[in-house]
Amino acid sequence: MMACNVNVILQQGKFATSSRKWQSFPPHCYKANIISSIAIGPSRLPQSPSKLVFHEKERPSLSNEKFGIYGGKFVPETLISSLTKLDYEFNSALHDPQFQMELGVALRDYVGRETPLYFAQRLTDHYKNNNRGIGPDIYLKREDLNHGGAHKINNAFAQAMLAKRMDCKNIVAATGAGQHGIATAAACAKLSLDCTIFIGSLDMERQPSNVLLMKHLGAKIKSAKGSFKDAVSEGIRYWVNNLDSTYFLAGAAVGPHPCPTMVREFQSVIGKETRKQAMEKWGGKPDVLVACVGSGSNALGLFHEFIQDQDVRLIGVEAGGTGLDLDKHSATMARGQVGVYHGAMSYLLQDDEGQIIGPHSIGVGLEYPGVSPELSFLKDIGRAEFSTVNDEQTLDAYKRLCKLEGIIPALEASHALAFLDKLCSTLKDGEKVVVNLSGRGDKDAATVFNHLYP
């Protein structure tokens, strides 16, 4: 996958592609990274389609494709009709009582919702004991207890149902840590759909147990040279070459509209349950919500319900890797600049020439150079806060939860847990903190062992 350089004229708000043809572009963006490939690479910005796939009288009220300047559909015009149809079907399903009833039953009986909002007493005591007996009450939203071991099944099953509703029998997806791959494979097995999963060659080596589970669930595994970002590129390319028969099941809150909105909407059950459970447990709202951030699916799942509650802090924790100054991290919000990647505008890790900087994290699922357009917008308006923790802090948090609570967290979720070291001493006694425990750490046991005992 190549990224072509883009020359920007800030005053005119235009850019020149490799063909030197000027195109409109938001004037405040200092650079844009346009992916050059058949899968997602526009040589120019897409125009509105002249024809839709449905009759004019059936034109739906489509969802908003932009969050401020972020999001959009930076894709070839050949994809616009398919994405518009997907948006139509998505919004139709959201307002279809039958679809919602069937999804609710599946989330309850198959996925295992609702997941507990668990009071971590010993973890709470640990931080209070380190701060003269003062500190917040820490609760864990136990997404690790979902079928498949992570939050990914919330979205994967809903989208698999949507694909079946659209008469798409072939599902393609891309995965990094393997949790979305497992969730998609499980949903496809349950709904009798064919499943193809792309995974980076590096991630296959790091997550062999999840690769094996995907195969057990009947998925065809295809290796993409590289990591998660490369698997996404190959997955989208496969989809583009098979538009008539294939559904691309996005697991990350990135990509062209409506993909980020769909993922966020189907993950928002996390926050909705959290609000209900908090009211039942202590009669109010959480004071602080904390979630790890790779592309943003689990963070948005928790945050979205509370965006309008200005008294609830939203904190996303990125992977600081081995150090921000060494460019061995996945801290897109901390070090990224505005660009376009995989069909949408967001913050992006890129160099001065607009080329992608390869991300790094001990948590494989956080290794992505972009981030959700919606989270990008929430950062700009100051509604969400973002911080980083490094690999060593993450490993410490992993070990701490294992020893104090008997819970094995995924390394991705351990980033959110590690941020408690910075957060707890700044809060009042008894404030309520909810950490999204987005996945379980069985898959990471060997990685942790190898780091602790090299």
Side-chain angles (χ1 to χ4, degrees):
M1 179 62 65
M2 290 175 24
C4 61
N5 294 337
V6 177
N7 302 316
V8 180
I9 304 297
L10 297 177
Q11 295 82 359
Q12 297 180 9
K14 297 182 177 181
F15 71 85
T17 65
S18 56
S19 64
R20 313 302 295 176
K21 185 175 181 179
W22 293 104
Q23 306 292 342
S24 299
F25 199 74
H28 51 277
C29 295
Y30 291 88
K31 64 167 73 78
N33 196 295
I34 308 296
I35 299 307
S36 178
S37 78
I38 187 173
I40 46 179
S43 59
R44 57 192 180 91
L45 293 181
Q47 306 298 317
S48 299
S50 58
K51 286 187 178 181
L52 299 178
V53 295
F54 35 79
H55 297 299
E56 186 68 26
K57 65 181 180 180
E58 298 173 335
R59 181 189 295 268
S61 176
L62 301 182
S63 53
N64 182 19
E65 69 178 60
K66 299 294 286 292
F67 303 93
I69 66 169
Y70 303 106
K73 300 177 190 173
F74 290 78
V75 297
E77 290 186 16
T78 53
L79 278 184
I80 293 295
S81 180
S82 294
L83 290 170
T84 303
K85 178 182 179 182
L86 178 60
D87 196 9
Y88 169 77
E89 295 289 353
F90 164 59
N91 281 277
S92 296
L94 286 184
H95 296 91
D96 181 350
Q98 182 67 24
F99 181 90
Q100 293 299 323
M101 182 193 71
E102 292 176 3
L103 177 58
V105 170
L107 291 176
R108 183 193 68 202
D109 296 344
Y110 185 74
V111 174
R113 306 209 69 91
E114 62 182 38
T115 58
L117 184 61
Y118 167 74
F119 178 48
Q121 178 72 66
R122 294 196 66 206
L123 187 64
T124 295
D125 291 344
H126 166 80
Y127 285 105
K128 288 190 175 186
N129 291 338
N130 290 339
N131 192 39
R132 305 180 307 280
I134 298 172
D137 295 335
I138 301 168
Y139 289 80
L140 307 178
K141 184 57 175 161
R142 296 292 306 276
E143 293 300 295
D144 59 310
L145 296 180
N146 282 327
H147 177 49
H151 73 291
K152 293 294 189 180
I153 191 71
N154 304 324
N155 164 71
F157 202 94
Q159 283 206 55
M161 285 179 56
L162 183 61
K164 195 163 187 175
R165 175 187 175 100
M166 297 171 65
D167 293 324
C168 287
K169 306 299 184 184
N170 301 310
I171 306 299
V172 62
T175 191
Q179 295 303 125
H180 177 59
I182 289 174
T184 301
C188 288
K190 173 64 176 172
L191 297 176
S192 190
L193 300 170
D194 293 332
C195 181
T196 301
I197 304 293
F198 284 86
I199 182 169
S201 55
L202 297 175
D203 296 337
M204 289 186 74
E205 296 175 3
R206 292 188 286 182
Q207 304 286 298
S209 62
N210 279 351
V211 173
L212 183 60
L213 289 175
M214 285 184 270
K215 291 180 178 179
H216 286 332
L217 290 166
K220 299 175 184 176
I221 307 300
K222 291 185 178 291
S223 175
K225 185 178 180 180
S227 60
F228 176 52
K229 65 182 178 64
D230 306 294
V232 173
S233 298
E234 290 301 318
I236 296 178
R237 183 177 290 112
Y238 181 94
W239 171 55
V240 171
N241 289 330
N242 299 275
L243 281 177
D244 293 337
S245 61
T246 303
Y247 182 101
F248 180 75
L249 204 158
V254 295
H257 178 79
C259 295
T261 300
M262 292 170 61
V263 173
R264 179 259 289 159
E265 185 63 32
F266 290 137
Q267 291 292 359
S268 65
V269 63
I270 302 171
K272 292 173 183 175
E273 286 182 6
T274 298
R275 181 186 291 276
K276 170 180 171 289
Q277 292 166 324
M279 185 60 66
E280 292 170 350
K281 286 181 177 294
W282 63 81
K285 295 176 290 188
D287 296 294
V288 185
L289 303 177
V290 184
C292 65
V293 173
S295 67
S297 64
N298 95 92
L300 280 172
L302 180 62
F303 294 170
H304 185 70
E305 172 69 15
F306 296 92
I307 287 176
Q308 301 302 321
D309 296 279
Q310 296 293 327
D311 53 342
V312 178
R313 291 173 65 187
L314 313 178
I315 303 178
V317 185
E318 295 187 297
T322 58
L324 297 182
D325 295 332
L326 301 176
D327 281 341
K328 292 284 289 182
H329 60 80
S330 297
T332 305
M333 293 298 200
R335 291 301 177 92
Q337 301 180 61
V338 176
V340 173
Y341 189 61
H342 285 156
M345 183 178 291
S346 70
Y347 280 97
L348 181 64
L349 294 177
Q350 54 186 322
D351 62 21
D352 291 338
E353 300 299 321
Q355 303 300 306
I356 296 299
I357 296 175
H360 163 77
S361 171
I362 194 171
V364 176
L366 302 184
E367 285 191 344
Y368 187 73
V371 71
S372 155
E374 189 168 359
L375 285 181
S376 298
F377 176 68
L378 292 177
K379 175 193 174 183
D380 279 6
I381 65 173
R383 180 61 190 95
E385 311 165 40
F386 295 90
S387 186
T388 63
V389 298
N390 62 35
D391 288 349
E392 292 304 316
Q393 292 167 325
T394 299
L395 287 168
D396 288 343
Y398 176 100
K399 292 185 293 181
R400 185 179 304 118
L401 195 68
C402 289
K403 292 181 178 179
L404 293 181
E405 298 290 347
I407 296 172
I408 305 173
L411 282 172
E412 291 81 13
S414 296
H415 285 73
L417 294 165
F419 182 71
L420 294 173
D421 284 354
K422 302 177 183 178
L423 176 68
C424 287
S425 63
T426 69
L427 299 179
K428 298 177 182 177
D429 192 49
E431 287 192 283
K432 311 300 183 186
V433 175
V434 174
V435 179
N436 197 5
L437 195 64
S438 56
R440 68 173 185 241
D442 311 45
K443 65 185 180 63
D444 299 316
T447 299
V448 173
F449 185 86
N450 292 335
H451 275 81
L452 296 179
Y453 309 103

